[in-house]
Amino acid sequence: MKRAGQFLIFFLCVAFSVAAIVNVMADNADVERMAAAVACGEQGPNCRAQMTRLERTPFGQTFEMVTAKRTVDVVCRRAYVMAGEYACKLR
C-alpha cells in the first residue's frame, strides 16, 4: 500500500511537470490569434494588433497588444488549471 502511494505521488509530479512544460514551450500561434482578436474587440476586420509583450507561465499567457486605437493587456488561461482549451479576456 505504501509503495502504491509513492508511485501515485511520483506519477502526479511527473504529469504536472510535463503539463507545465507543454504549456510554456508549445507553439502558441492559436493563442496569439485569439488574444489579437480580443485586443481588437469591435474595431473591425482591418484591425491589426501588434504584440509588444508576452508572458508565458504554466498557468496562462499574458499579452500586451497595441492596436491603432488602444493598448491593452489580454490574459489567456486554460479551462482547467493546466488543461483544456484557452479562453482570452481583457485584463
Side-chain angles (χ1 to χ4, degrees):
M1 183 67 174
K2 181 179 178 183
R3 185 69 134 175
Q6 290 174 338
F7 178 76
L8 178 63
I9 291 173
F10 174 77
F11 176 77
L12 290 174
C13 288
V14 169
F16 179 85
S17 297
V18 168
I21 290 169
V22 167
N23 283 347
V24 174
M25 302 302 290
D27 180 27
N28 71 335
D30 291 337
V31 180
E32 285 183 31
R33 280 191 287 277
M34 288 190 306
V38 169
C40 283
E42 297 180 12
Q43 293 183 35
N46 294 328
C47 174
R48 299 281 182 243
Q50 177 69 40
M51 178 177 50
T52 56
R53 185 178 59 82
L54 166 63
E55 178 184 324
R56 293 179 75 173
T57 69
F59 305 106
Q61 301 181 31
T62 303
F63 301 87
E64 182 179 88
M65 298 280 199
V66 177
T67 67
K69 296 184 179 182
R70 63 186 185 169
T71 299
V72 295
D73 285 336
V74 179
V75 177
C76 300
R77 300 211 184 278
R78 290 191 177 267
Y80 306 101
V81 178
M82 294 178 69
E85 295 296 319
Y86 275 99
C88 299
K89 64 180 181 178
L90 294 176
R91 185 185 328 188

